[in-house]
Amino acid sequence: MIESFLRGRVTVTVGDITQQRVDAIVNAANSTLLGGGGVDGAIHRAGGSQILEECREIRRSRFPEGLPTGEAVITSGGNLPAPYVIHTVGPIRGAEGGRDVELLAACYWNSLALAVQHNLSSVAFPSISTGAYRYPREEAAAVSSKAIEDFLTADNTLKQVRLVFYQMGDARLFSENHKFRNGA
Ligand code: APR
């Protein structure tokens, strides 16, 4: 663990999201919910076919047109250490008609709300949209930290929100650009 905020409720770490031992890990999915590369590919590879089957059922029964950007859905974790996966679709930089910030914040807010609805107490996020979706890491740090702090200020059930970066450099960029008000 590299850094913590909000009296330890938020922690920053470097690692692989698929190996996090929390109640739910968040997937940086696309609207098809049928897998992809990056985080999405890693989670489906490590989690196994059960996750994909549940995603297909969610598409069939609730989102035939695909999961809208900013929304979140939950499946089991399959073979993952985490019992649940929360799938959310991040904004593609420059392709959301100027709604990038609002949609990225919605990914974090809606994922946390879903965790609370399922009585979970620990959630791990990758850095949503900062890979294939080309969201600048510095800007994403400001948006994600503000959304997380706003949510946790109003909620007292979530005990741990872990921000998992794949590279130390990404974690450092986050540390330099986050907007958390309360210290460690
Ligand atoms: N664990 C933690 N972080 C990871 C991992 C991993 N195993 N793999 C990649 N990352 C980091 C990347 O370095 C990046 O900073 O997660 C961040 C998000 O990158 P992407 O996975 O590319 O996600 P995103 O930018 O939201 O693009 C989503 O890519 O994989 C496809 O199906 C996915 O179409 C969707 C798009």
Side-chain angles (χ1 to χ4, degrees):
M1 191 262 285
I2 296 169
E3 210 169 354
S4 73
F5 304 94
L6 303 186
R7 290 172 302 289
R9 285 179 81 189
V10 178
T11 55
V12 174
T13 186
V14 176
D16 183 335
I17 191 79
T18 63
Q19 293 168 13
Q20 301 303 311
R21 294 186 178 288
V22 288
D23 292 339
I25 63 169
V26 176
N27 181 19
N30 60 57
S31 61
T32 72
L33 289 180
L34 301 179
V39 164
D40 202 5
I43 287 175
H44 281 283
R45 233 183 345 270
S49 61
Q50 185 179 340
I51 298 177
L52 186 58
E53 280 156 32
E54 292 181 37
C55 286
R56 283 209 177 97
E57 176 52 23
I58 290 169
R59 280 294 311 277
R60 192 193 60 73
S61 58
R62 297 172 55 200
F63 295 101
E65 306 297 314
L67 184 66
T69 300
E71 297 293 323
V73 292
I74 192 167
T75 66
S76 74
N79 307 321
L80 291 167
Y84 293 97
V85 178
I86 292 172
H87 306 260
T88 191
V89 180
I92 299 174
R93 183 60 173 180
E96 313 291 352
R99 296 181 61 220
D100 295 24
V101 171
E102 166 198 339
L103 289 168
L104 185 61
C107 286
Y108 285 88
W109 187 279
N110 290 330
S111 297
L112 292 170
L114 204 49
V116 167
Q117 280 166 32
H118 285 75
N119 302 314
L120 307 182
S121 62
S122 60
V123 182
F125 283 95
S127 178
I128 296 168
S129 282
T130 63
Y133 284 0
R134 302 191 316 283
Y135 209 107
R137 286 174 160 75
E138 301 81 347
E139 292 179 39
V143 175
S144 60
S145 53
K146 185 177 179 327
I148 291 166
E149 176 151 9
D150 288 352
F151 188 93
L152 293 185
T153 303
D155 162 80
N156 56 17
T157 58
L158 278 171
K159 299 290 171 272
Q160 195 200 26
V161 176
R162 196 180 295 178
L163 305 181
V164 181
F165 294 93
Y166 214 30
Q167 321 278 349
M168 176 60 83
D170 297 343
R172 202 170 297 124
L173 266 179
F174 180 84
S175 294
E176 291 156 7
N177 293 278
H178 73 77
K179 298 285 183 233
F180 284 118
R181 280 193 308 275
N182 305 3

